[in-house]
Amino acid sequence: MGTEGEKVNFEPAPFIKGRTIAEVWPKALSCIVATAHWRQLCGEPHIVTDQRGDETYDVEGLQVVITDPLRNMIPKLPKAPGVTAWGRKSELDEYFETEIIGTKPKPEGFSYVYADFISPFLDEVITELALNPTTRRESLSTGLIRDVEYFDSPPCLRSVQFLIRSGKLDMITTWRSRDYAGAAATNMYGLIRLQEHVAKKLGVPVGRYIDFSGSAHIRIKDDLWWVEKVIC
């Protein structure tokens, strides 16, 4: 096989499957870093400078599947100042309550939270799933089609889909952009708590949590130093 074939053989696959957040998140971070190193070795561009001017490692189309999402939901983080990810249950629960389900007011200074797009329609979703357990239609969109015109930072989360399969409630989330170091584990915790809430309302067990990111990235300056401690 030629050089081009060898490149394909060694490129990290943007697919991670595991039982828990604590298991899959470090593997996803490792995939992003490994992909950047692979591209650098191949002489390809391996750093993406985003709209804010931050240099990042970036993987396109990263999919994560968590098969036992309610187990071991809090990842282990380095005990060092400057770590941007959240690792305390109280912080993660606050995120779920204020930004995902909306049982508490949104944080001060936020123009919107995901709960603004989820909570008003959640009862309807639950009703439809109860009436039609095999439906593929129960998907919530977050934000407007052209919300970039209305928000300085349009929602990263684009959709949340609920499916009952094998008697369990699966959930699929789609993200246009993902700060995988600072936000992804927190996002997963909050959305899995939402999945648990809907499953309880339906009287079914929680199934798989499936998570797709169009752009999954790590900020080099702010986060790479501690990400390397997580994945080592």
Side-chain angles (χ1 to χ4, degrees), residues 129-213:
L129 285 166
L131 290 173
N132 301 291
T134 60
T135 182
R136 304 183 183 95
R137 297 179 179 180
E138 295 315 305
S139 179
L140 298 175
S141 297
T142 52
L144 306 171
I145 294 173
R146 293 295 300 162
D147 54 20
V148 69
E149 299 174 1
Y150 302 94
F151 301 131
D152 290 336
S153 179
C156 295
L157 176 63
R158 305 311 296 170
S159 68
V160 180
Q161 183 177 9
F162 300 90
L163 295 166
I164 297 177
R165 295 293 182 265
S166 302
K168 299 180 180 180
L169 182 71
D170 291 345
M171 188 163 73
I172 303 169
T173 64
T174 305
W175 304 76
R176 66 166 182 86
S177 176
R178 203 71 167 288
D179 174 0
Y180 233 87
T186 300
N187 299 151
M188 291 175 188
Y189 181 95
L191 271 297
I192 289 169
R193 286 287 311 277
L194 177 68
Q195 182 182 7
E196 179 186 29
H197 171 81
V198 174
K200 284 181 177 178
K201 292 286 187 179
L202 292 167
V204 300
V206 169
R208 298 167 297 172
Y209 173 78
I210 301 168
D211 183 298
F212 180 85
S213 299

Side-chain angles (χ1 to χ4, degrees), residues 25-41:
W25 180 61
K27 291 180 179 179
L29 292 172
S30 181
C31 175
I32 296 169
V33 173
T35 299
H37 291 169
W38 177 84
R39 288 172 176 167
Q40 185 178 24
L41 286 171

Side-chain angles (χ1 to χ4, degrees), residues 2-229:
T3 304
E4 191 63 32
E6 291 171 1
K7 287 184 182 181
V8 173
N9 286 341
F10 287 99
E11 181 178 8
F15 176 81
I16 308 294
K17 185 176 183 179
R19 294 183 65 193
T20 68
I21 295 174
E23 178 184 345
V24 302
W25 180 61
K27 291 180 179 179
L29 292 172
S30 181
C31 175
I32 296 169
V33 173
T35 299
H37 291 169
W38 177 84
R39 288 172 176 167
Q40 185 178 24
L41 286 171
C42 292
E44 299 177 1
H46 68 289
I47 294 175
V48 175
T49 303
D50 65 18
Q51 288 171 297
R52 296 185 178 90
D54 290 332
E55 291 188 331
T56 65
Y57 288 164
D58 190 287
V59 165
E60 303 79 26
L62 178 61
Q63 182 177 346
V64 164
V65 178
I66 300 177
T67 59
D68 192 4
L70 296 180
R71 185 187 299 273
N72 206 6
M73 296 176 69
I74 302 175
K76 294 181 180 179
L77 300 174
K79 294 181 178 180
V83 174
T84 55
W86 291 352
R88 291 194 292 270
K89 189 176 187 301
S90 58
E91 293 174 320
L92 296 167
D93 286 340
E94 184 80 5
Y95 170 76
F96 167 65
E97 292 162 356
T98 59
E99 298 190 44
I100 300 299
I101 201 165
T103 53
K104 290 184 178 180
K106 71 182 69 174
E108 186 175 349
F110 280 48
S111 58
Y112 69 89
V113 291
Y114 298 139
D116 294 338
F117 309 108
I118 294 172
S119 295
F121 309 103
L122 201 55
D123 287 344
E124 182 180 341
V125 165
I126 292 167
T127 298
E128 288 300 318
L129 285 166
L131 290 173
N132 301 291
T134 60
T135 182
R136 304 183 183 95
R137 297 179 179 180
E138 295 315 305
S139 179
L140 298 175
S141 297
T142 52
L144 306 171
I145 294 173
R146 293 295 300 162
D147 54 20
V148 69
E149 299 174 1
Y150 302 94
F151 301 131
D152 290 336
S153 179
C156 295
L157 176 63
R158 305 311 296 170
S159 68
V160 180
Q161 183 177 9
F162 300 90
L163 295 166
I164 297 177
R165 295 293 182 265
S166 302
K168 299 180 180 180
L169 182 71
D170 291 345
M171 188 163 73
I172 303 169
T173 64
T174 305
W175 304 76
R176 66 166 182 86
S177 176
R178 203 71 167 288
D179 174 0
Y180 233 87
T186 300
N187 299 151
M188 291 175 188
Y189 181 95
L191 271 297
I192 289 169
R193 286 287 311 277
L194 177 68
Q195 182 182 7
E196 179 186 29
H197 171 81
V198 174
K200 284 181 177 178
K201 292 286 187 179
L202 292 167
V204 300
V206 169
R208 298 167 297 172
Y209 173 78
I210 301 168
D211 183 298
F212 180 85
S213 299
S215 165
H217 51 269
I218 296 169
R219 294 177 297 171
I220 295 171
K221 180 180 179 182
D222 293 337
D223 296 320
L224 186 58
W225 65 272
W226 64 263
V227 165
E228 290 177 337
K229 298 178 187 296

